């Protein structure tokens, strides 16, 4: 990276800087004229100079020159104006100069802002580009939060300074110099006074601000370290809780915040001290002007117009001078920041830019052997991981690597995946060093999978297809205004040094996955998901998810058919009783009272609290008399719950069945019952009524079994439901999606849509049984792939944390298998699974990758030797050395390490 910030800015923006400097130079002319014009107005029309008689006139806007060797040239004689007309004309010119100076400032500032934003965009992109090219070992030395903070926050001032780097000193210096020259022209001694004060400010203030710069640098470093520490706490929160070190972390954070506080407090003290001195020096000059200038005016050595002009000119001097001093401080500050950025991002061993070049054409298959020659591997501390090892892997060969953890096999796999760079020796394909081969080849034709996983925020589908998004293969089509916006966006990206890549284009390499396009992509995804045994997990995620009806219209249009097929299947298997369907004119005993009353689902942002306070809902509850009944029912629920559970410990399993009340609520309801004893609903307060009725809304008779739900009360609830929907207002109708057996309910899950009812609470293991039957029904109707597609829309969360560790490892393996590479390197990719599950997936992968005429090379670091017979060759490592190599039959008959591992 360029070491000097000024050179970096000039090399990237010199054309724009020259243009804006020319504009600044042109702006000095009207700026100077705006100083001289007040003197002419005061001395001329106001004091009457040149207008000694009432009829006297003067010429306005006369254009004439007196050139050497040529003489006077009169281009325009101007207009003859009297005293009042001249006053109005000069005032109008003054107003015009004010507007012109404002327009110059507007253009200069907006041009500087655009220039700065372009440079900020350029440097941020360049830093991220360098992060993408960091050598692997660098990521063990830096914290991601600190890098993100530097790119996001610490380079922000660099963009703002770019527009000011050359323009600001020229503009402010020009304005200050113009004002100072004008004062000197009016009176030499007043000019010298102003110049002296300027010199004092220019010397003292920058020296005092050096301490501010040091404090600013310390604040930046400590804030960056705090960001990194907070990131560590978030990432290691389970370790912190597991070892009871939360107070240690609090102490650490408090200590860091104390250091930051002291630095910031010192910064404030110095900042306002410098400001006080600067303001004092700026105010001393007007005092001298009034005192000395007034004295000279009284002596007749300085006219009033000149004094007014000098004072007016000086009013425009401290501002540019102060801003010029601020600019110098900002220059030093951003230079320090830039130096820190260079220190962090200018690392040795960066990946060459050509390795990351964009390639849209299909990459030919790797038909040469993978050759390892005298390979030596070490970790970043210098510990030897693999001693001199030489071997080769043919394009269609399968190799199993065995050995204890740390024996060298894992390090070899990481080297093949370019995660660990060799200390000595080479890894080549076709005579080319693996590290010099472009990622367009290694990222497509070689796949590396380890046990550690990372998933970006987004859907399962986005992360699964991430390994196919190499380049924009199909450009997005824009029309009309969108096309013009895209062209402007593209042009601006090029001006900022960013690549002309459209994120909205289709980046998925369908051919690499064996598909012809997006329509048949799911057909190639499905076998891969089955191979790693994650299809069932994704199916379950789909059942728990809400469905985008626009994206999955085929399934939603056939939901009635699915419901009918499920009913038939349950009836055939004598399980019809495990689902209680929703019926418009009947009470569902397996659902809560609230669900029966609403008979639908609420759309966001509607929720039970908002519904309960809606005037229409409260009116229906009151008119039907249901409110009093639910209040009485809630009192009995509270009495039963308090009596049965108040003596139980908070972690008792019975509380898991008590859905309407937690262990912490028991004391509160006990006190509330004592207060409301003998109190009717009319005498209870609104909050008390709400607390009691809320209990009845969550009540399910077959589950809680308090014997409170009579047939009469159930009929009243159904009647209240009918009245509620009879004249429901538009706002509630739009917020509630009513149950309808003939259509899909978008605001609830797919499973609820299929059941269209509630599972019986008297049966055991109903959830697992119904899921198995539901999947079978979807398969019979040819909708299983549609359900799988819904599951692929599941949002995985930050770093994929909404998935289990087992699911993440399976998905990580599936992502690599989907690329159909020529070389697959698997470094214990399924360590979170039990041995039986690992062996099953290994068998599936070996069979699936070697069918239909395909035979890629597979290098698999296995946790044990049980499935090693599936491979063509077995490599056994021990203490960083390759100790055995051969076929399964050969090594099994020799008395070596492999035989020990096999046993």
């Amino acid at each position: 990276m360029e070491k000097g910030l000024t050179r970096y800015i000039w090399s990237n923006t010199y054309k724009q800087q020259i243009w804006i400097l020319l504009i600044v130079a042109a702006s000095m002319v009207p700026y100077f004229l705006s100083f001289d014009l007040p003197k002419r107005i005061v001395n001329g029309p106001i004091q009457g100079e040149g207008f000694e008689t009432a009829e006297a006139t003067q010429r306005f806007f006369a254009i004439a020159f007196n050139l050497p060797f040529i003489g006077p040239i009169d281009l325009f004689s101007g207009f003859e104006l009297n005293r009042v007309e001249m006053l109005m004309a000069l005032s109008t010119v003054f107003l015009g100069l004010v507007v012109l100076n404002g327009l110059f400032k507007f253009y200069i500032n907006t041009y500087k802002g655009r220039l700065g934003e372009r440079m900020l965009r350029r440097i941020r992109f360049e830093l991220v580009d360098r992060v993408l090219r960091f050598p692997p070992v660098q990521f063990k030395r830096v914290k991601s939060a600190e890098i993100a903070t530097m790119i996001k926050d610490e380079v922000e001032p660099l963009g703002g300074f770019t527009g000011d780097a050359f323009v600001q000193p020229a503009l402010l210096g020009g304005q200050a110099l113009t004002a100072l020259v004008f004062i000197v022209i009016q009176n030499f001694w007043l000019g010298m006074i102003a110049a002296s004060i300027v010199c004092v400010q220019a010397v003292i203030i920058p020296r005092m601000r050096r301490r501010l710069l040091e404090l600013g640098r310390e604040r930046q470093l400590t804030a960056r370290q705090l960001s990194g520490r907070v990131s560590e706490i978030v990432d290691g929160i389970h370790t912190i809780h597991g070892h009871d070190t939360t107070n240690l972390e609090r102490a650490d954070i408090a200590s860091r915040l104390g250091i930051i506080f002291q630095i910031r407090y010192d910064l404030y003290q110095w900042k306002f001290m410098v400001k006080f001195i600067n303001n004092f020096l700026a105010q001393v000059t007007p005092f001298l002007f009034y005192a000395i200038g007034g004295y000279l005016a009284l002596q007749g050595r300085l006219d009033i117009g000149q004094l007014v002009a000098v004072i007016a000119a000086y009013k425009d001097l401290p501002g540019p001078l102060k801003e010029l001093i601020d600019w110098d401080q900002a220059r030093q500050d951003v230079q320090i920041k830039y130096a820190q950025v260079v220190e962090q991002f200018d690392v040795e061993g960066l990946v060459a830019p050509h390795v990351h070049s964009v390639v849209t054409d299909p990459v030919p298959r790797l038909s040469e052997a993978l050759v390892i020659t005298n390979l030596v591997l070490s970790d970043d501390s210098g510990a030897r991981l693999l001693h001199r090892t030489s071997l080769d892997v043919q394009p269609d060969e399968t190799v199993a690597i065995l050995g204890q953890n740390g024996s060298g096999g894992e390090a070899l796999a990481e080297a093949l995946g370019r995660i660990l760079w060799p200390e000595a020796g080479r890894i080549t394909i076709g005579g080319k060093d693996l590290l010099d081969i472009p990622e367009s080849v290694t990222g497509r034709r070689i796949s590396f999978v380890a046990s550690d996983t990372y998933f970006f925020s987004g859907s399962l589908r986005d992360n699964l297809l991430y390994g196919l998004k190499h380049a924009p293969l199909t450009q997005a089509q824009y029309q009309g205004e969108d096309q013009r916006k895209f062209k402007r966006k593209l042009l601006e990206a090029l001006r900022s040094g960013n690549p002309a890549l459209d994120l909205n284009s289709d980046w998925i390499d369908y051919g690499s996955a064996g598909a012809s396009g997006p329509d048949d992509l799911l057909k190639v995804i499905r076998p891969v998901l089955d191979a790693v045994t994650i299809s069932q997990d994704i199916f379950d995620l789909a059942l728990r998810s809400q469905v985008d009806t626009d994206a999955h219209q085929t399934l939603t249009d056939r939901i009635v058919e699915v419901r009918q097929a499920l009913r038939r299947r349950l009836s055939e298997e004598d399980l019809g009783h495990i689902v209680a369907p929703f019926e418009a004119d009947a009470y569902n005993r397996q659902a809560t009272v609230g669900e029966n009353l609403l008979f639908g689902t609420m759309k966001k942002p509607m929720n039970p609290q908002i519904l309960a306070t809606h005037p229409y809902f409260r009116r229906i509850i009151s008119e039907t008399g249901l409110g009093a009944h639910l209040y009485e029912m809630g009192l009995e629920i509270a009495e039963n719950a308090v009596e049965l559970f108040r003596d139980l410990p908070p972690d008792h399993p019975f509380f898991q069945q008590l859905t309407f009340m937690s262990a912490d609520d028991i004391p509160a309801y006990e006190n509330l019952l004592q207060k409301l004893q003998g109190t009717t609903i009319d005498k209870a307060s609104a909050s008390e009524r709400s607390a009691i009725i809320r209990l009845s809304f969550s009540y399910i008779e077959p589950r809680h079994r308090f014997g409170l739900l009579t047939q009469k009360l159930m009929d009243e609830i159904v009647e209240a439901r009918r009245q509620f929907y009879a004249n429901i207002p538009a706002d509630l109708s739009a917020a509630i999606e009513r149950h309808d057996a003939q259509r899909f309910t978008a605001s609830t899950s797919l499973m609820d849509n299929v059941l269209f009812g509630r599972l019986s609470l008297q049966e055991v293991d109903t959830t697992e049984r119904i899921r198995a039957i539901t999947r079978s029904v979807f398969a019979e109707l040819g909708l299983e792939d549609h359900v799988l597609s819904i599951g692929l829309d599941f949002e995985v969360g930050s770093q994929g944390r909404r998935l289990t560790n087992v699911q993440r490892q399976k998905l990580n393996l599936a992502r690599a298998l989907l690329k159909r590479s020529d070389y697959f390197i698997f470094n214990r990719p399924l360590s979170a699974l039990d041995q039986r599950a690992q062996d099953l997936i290994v068998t599936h992968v070996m069979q699936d990758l070697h069918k239909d005429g395909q035979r890629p090379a597979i290098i698999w670091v296995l946790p044990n030797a049980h499935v090693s017979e599936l491979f063509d060759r077995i490599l056994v490592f021990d203490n960083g050395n390759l100790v055995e190599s051969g076929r399964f039959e050969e090594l099994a008959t020799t008395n070596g390490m492999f035989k020990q591992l096999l046993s």
Side-chain angles (χ1 to χ4, degrees), residues 165-373:
F166 301 97
V167 177
Q168 199 76 342
L171 176 62
L172 299 176
Q175 290 177 347
L177 187 61
T178 300
L180 191 60
V181 169
F182 180 80
I183 293 173
V184 172
I185 292 174
Q186 306 308 310
N187 186 275
F188 177 78
W189 295 111
L190 293 181
M192 290 299 99
I193 292 174
S196 299
I197 297 298
V198 167
C199 291
V200 172
Q201 287 179 285
V203 172
I204 293 178
I205 301 302
R207 289 180 178 273
M208 295 186 66
R209 283 185 168 173
R210 289 177 184 173
R211 176 58 181 165
L212 287 176
L213 295 174
E214 289 297 323
L215 290 172
R217 180 175 178 274
E218 293 178 14
R219 179 183 62 179
Q220 178 179 327
L221 289 174
T222 52
R224 187 194 307 162
Q225 292 167 356
L226 176 66
S227 175
R229 193 70 186 93
V230 171
S231 176
E232 287 183 331
I233 290 175
V234 173
D235 292 339
I237 189 65
H238 300 303
T239 301
I240 293 171
H241 289 313
H243 295 286
D244 186 28
T245 55
T246 54
N247 291 313
L248 174 65
E249 299 303 331
R250 290 187 178 98
D252 183 28
I253 294 300
S255 175
R256 293 173 184 271
L257 292 176
I259 296 173
I260 293 175
F261 168 80
Q262 190 60 50
I263 293 173
R264 293 177 68 90
Y265 182 67
D266 291 345
L267 190 64
Y268 285 132
Q269 285 185 308
W270 272 92
K271 177 181 177 180
F272 289 109
M273 180 186 299
V274 171
K275 188 173 182 179
F276 164 75
I277 295 174
N278 194 31
N279 290 338
F280 174 76
L281 292 175
Q283 295 303 319
V284 165
T285 308
F287 159 75
L288 296 176
F289 279 177
Y290 284 121
I292 299 175
Y295 177 77
L296 293 176
L298 294 175
Q299 294 293 320
R301 298 163 61 184
L302 182 69
D303 60 56
I304 299 299
Q306 287 178 313
L307 181 58
V308 171
V310 166
I311 294 174
Y314 183 76
K315 286 176 62 180
D316 287 334
L317 181 60
L321 186 63
K322 178 181 179 299
E323 292 183 33
L324 194 61
I325 295 174
D326 290 340
W327 170 86
D328 183 65
Q329 181 186 0
R331 178 188 63 81
Q332 298 180 56
D333 185 39
V334 296
Q335 183 62 57
I336 291 174
K337 287 183 170 65
Y338 183 76
Q340 292 177 336
V341 169
V342 171
E343 180 182 348
Q344 289 291 329
F345 288 87
D346 193 20
V347 300
E348 295 182 0
L350 280 180
V351 175
H354 77 272
V355 174
H356 292 173
S357 58
V358 179
V359 176
T360 57
D361 297 330
V363 177
R365 298 184 64 85
L366 295 177
S367 57
E368 297 86 358
L370 187 66
V371 180
I372 301 168
T373 307

Side-chain angles (χ1 to χ4, degrees), residues 482-531:
D482 291 337
Q483 186 178 26
R484 288 188 288 273
K485 288 181 179 179
F486 171 69
K487 289 182 177 179
R488 289 196 297 268
K489 179 181 176 182
L490 190 64
L491 181 61
E492 193 60 44
L494 294 173
R495 287 173 174 171
S496 302
N498 288 192
L501 300 175
D502 183 13
L503 189 61
N504 295 322
S505 298
D506 192 349
W507 288 65
I508 299 176
D509 186 359
Y510 299 102
S512 177
S516 59
D519 295 335
D520 63 345
L521 186 59
L522 192 61
K523 295 180 181 178
V524 299
I525 291 177
R526 177 63 186 275
V528 172
L529 299 179
D530 290 341

Side-chain angles (χ1 to χ4, degrees), residues 461 522 526 535-545 547 552 555 559 562 750-751 754 774-775 777-779 782-794:
R461 188 192 315 274
L522 192 61
R526 177 63 186 275
S535 297
Q536 180 62 51
D537 295 40
I538 297 178
F539 188 87
D540 291 342
L541 292 175
L543 293 179
R544 296 195 296 267
S545 301
V547 181
H552 305 283
L555 186 144
I559 191 63
V562 175
L750 177 60
M751 188 62 165
V754 173
T774 302
R775 181 167 187 176
V777 168
F778 277 120
L783 294 173
E784 195 171 17
D785 284 349
H786 293 278
V787 178
L788 200 66
S789 181
I790 294 171
L792 291 175
D793 292 335
F794 179 78

Side-chain angles (χ1 to χ4, degrees), residues 698-900:
S698 302
Y699 183 77
I700 305 175
E701 183 63 54
R703 180 171 192 169
H704 302 119
R705 302 179 182 180
F706 289 164
L708 304 177
L709 202 60
T710 64
Q711 185 61 45
K712 180 182 178 181
L713 182 56
M714 289 189 289
D715 293 340
E716 290 180 357
I717 293 172
V718 174
E719 176 61 21
R721 175 209 302 170
R722 187 192 63 77
Q723 294 187 31
F724 176 74
Y725 282 107
N727 298 295
I728 186 170
D731 60 330
L732 279 182
S733 179
I736 298 174
E737 195 168 6
R738 191 176 182 182
H739 291 318
D740 188 341
Q742 299 303 314
R743 66 181 182 86
F744 190 89
T745 306
S747 56
T748 190
S749 69
L750 177 60
M751 188 62 165
D752 286 342
N753 270 281
V754 173
L755 292 177
F756 195 69
R758 289 290 179 262
L759 292 175
S760 173
L761 297 170
Q762 285 87 0
E763 299 292 330
V764 181
D765 296 331
T766 55
T767 302
E768 294 301 324
R769 294 162 70 187
I770 202 69
R771 281 180 181 172
I773 296 173
T774 302
R775 181 167 187 176
S776 175
V777 168
F778 277 120
E780 288 179 4
L781 298 177
L783 294 173
E784 195 171 17
D785 284 349
H786 293 278
V787 178
L788 200 66
S789 181
I790 294 171
L792 291 175
D793 292 335
F794 179 78
E795 293 290 324
V796 301
S798 175
Q799 300 182 25
R801 289 174 178 168
R802 294 188 68 193
L803 303 175
T804 66
N805 193 24
V806 169
Q807 290 172 335
R808 288 198 297 269
Q809 289 192 348
K810 290 180 178 180
L811 187 64
N812 194 36
L813 181 59
R815 178 165 58 185
L817 295 175
L818 196 59
K819 292 195 297 183
R820 296 194 172 190
S821 300
D822 302 321
Y823 284 89
F824 287 96
I825 299 102
F826 301 129
N827 186 12
R828 303 185 191 271
L830 303 169
S831 58
L833 282 68
D834 60 60
Q835 189 57 54
R836 185 188 61 81
Q838 289 194 49
D839 292 348
L840 178 63
I841 294 176
V842 171
T843 303
H844 286 172
V845 171
M846 295 295 294
Q847 292 173 351
D848 291 345
L849 287 180
H850 284 182
K851 69 180 181 180
D852 300 331
Q854 301 179 28
R855 190 171 174 81
I858 300 175
I859 304 171
W860 202 313
V861 181
L862 296 172
N864 57 66
H866 292 142
V867 291
S868 59
E869 59 182 332
L870 298 174
F871 294 81
D872 299 333
R873 182 159 45 125
I874 300 171
L875 305 178
V876 182
F877 285 85
D878 184 39
N879 293 326
N881 296 298
L882 175 61
V883 295
E884 293 183 28
S885 175
R887 299 181 63 83
F888 179 87
E889 296 80 6
E890 299 171 359
L891 298 181
T893 58
T894 59
N895 191 18
M897 179 171 286
F898 175 75
K899 195 169 184 179
Q900 298 177 13

Side-chain angles (χ1 to χ4, degrees), residues 379-436:
D379 62 17
D380 57 336
S381 68
R384 188 63 56 86
L385 302 176
L386 184 69
H387 300 282
R388 293 191 176 275
T389 301
S390 298
L391 58 95
D392 61 83
V393 179
Q394 298 302 317
D396 59 350
E397 187 178 13
T398 60
V399 179
I401 297 178
L402 297 172
Q404 300 296 329
N405 289 331
S407 61
E410 301 97 326
L412 175 61
E414 289 183 351
L416 296 175
R418 305 208 303 187
I419 305 300
L420 182 62
W421 288 9
E423 179 181 325
R426 301 178 69 202
I427 303 175
T428 60
I429 299 180
K432 297 179 180 178
D433 194 300
L434 187 63
L435 297 180
D436 294 332

